[in-house]
Every structure is written in C-alpha cells, then in structure tokens.
Amino acid sequence: MERTFAIIKPDAVERNVTGKVIAMIEEAGFKVVGMKKILLSKSQVEGFYYVHKERPFFGDLCAFMSRGPVITLVLEKENAIADWRTLMGATNPANAAEGTIRKSLGVSIEENTVHGSDSPESASFEIPYFFNQLELV
Ligand code: UDP
C-alpha cells in the first residue's frame, strides 16, 4: 500500500463540487485515510509550494491557494502516487484526458481543482506538512 497527498483547491470548494471530487476518488479505489478543511495563510502556502518559488506563476498561485478554504487529504491504495496523478489529469484542464478530475471540473491552468504529490519524496514532505500520525486512520 502507498499513500499520497491531495488538495481540493479553493476553486472547487467555492463551486460546491468537493463531493464530486471525493466521489471520483472513492470510485477509483482510493481509501481516504486523512481529511480536513482548512484556510491556509499566504505564508503556509509559500512553505508548501517552496519548490516552485522561482517560477513566474508562484505569486499568483500562492494568492489563489490562500483565497478560500481547501480540503487536504491523504489517499491510500496500491500505486497511489501515480494513480492519483492519472486521475487528476494534465495541469492544464484543456489538455486533460476524458474522465479525469481536471477535465471534468477544472477551470484553468491555475484553477485546476486538485493537487497531488508528484513523487514519493514529495509525498513524504507534503503529508506531514498537514497531518500528524494520529490523524491518519
Ligand atoms: N500553475 C499555474 N500556471 C502554470 C503552471 C502551473 O498557475 O503555468 C499552477 C497550477 O495550479 C498547478 C500548480 O501551479 O497545479 C503547480 O504546478 P505544477 O507544474 O507542479 O503542476 P501539477 O503538478 O499541479 O500538475
């Protein structure tokens, strides 16, 4: 079994589609082992996305991710990291495959509804950034 980290981003919370996202997660065979709704400060988002700090969209991305609540999740299944990236779809919803969350629900390359760890190293940083051991069940 493998664990990965996911965020349902502010654009989805604002549009009341978090239930649709969680339904797609469960239908794809993931177990939700941790979940919470939080409002991130700008500096908490900057710490989370520090690997992107040199990229031109970093400022806008941090403003977007802190403009309203998000839902953070830890997902478990075999091959969870790669399978969650597949279910999310391409970064730009316009390029995302049919049946993916970003194709179904994404708004733009920035407001693309979901985040997912891109490697075991990312998951090992991202999961404990938000959850302690007692919150994963
Ligand atoms: N992003 C953006 N503009 C871009 C590329 C990415 O606003 O040109 C945002 C988008 O919300 C994306 C996040 O930055 O999900 C992280 O980018 P990354 O390239 O890691 O994409 P992901 O791994 O989320 O598909």
Side-chain angles (χ1 to χ4, degrees), residues 30-103:
F30 293 90
K31 290 286 177 207
V32 176
V33 297
M35 176 159 66
K36 55 184 149 188
K37 186 176 190 179
I38 50 174
L39 178 60
L40 293 166
S41 69
K42 191 101 180 292
S43 65
Q44 287 169 331
V45 177
E46 287 166 354
F48 175 69
Y49 274 132
Y50 79 99
V51 291
H52 295 307
K53 65 180 183 301
E54 306 301 338
R55 297 178 77 178
F57 56 80
F58 182 71
D60 287 345
L61 175 62
C62 293
F64 162 53
M65 291 295 289
S66 59
R67 82 175 183 209
V70 298
I71 295 177
T72 55
L73 306 109
V74 177
L75 308 178
E76 186 176 87
K77 79 188 280 292
E78 278 178 26
N79 207 32
I81 295 170
D83 287 358
W84 173 234
R85 298 286 302 182
T86 300
L87 181 60
M88 286 165 52
T91 306
N92 188 344
N95 301 329
E98 286 297 332
T100 63
I101 292 170
R102 285 169 166 170
K103 176 71 176 184

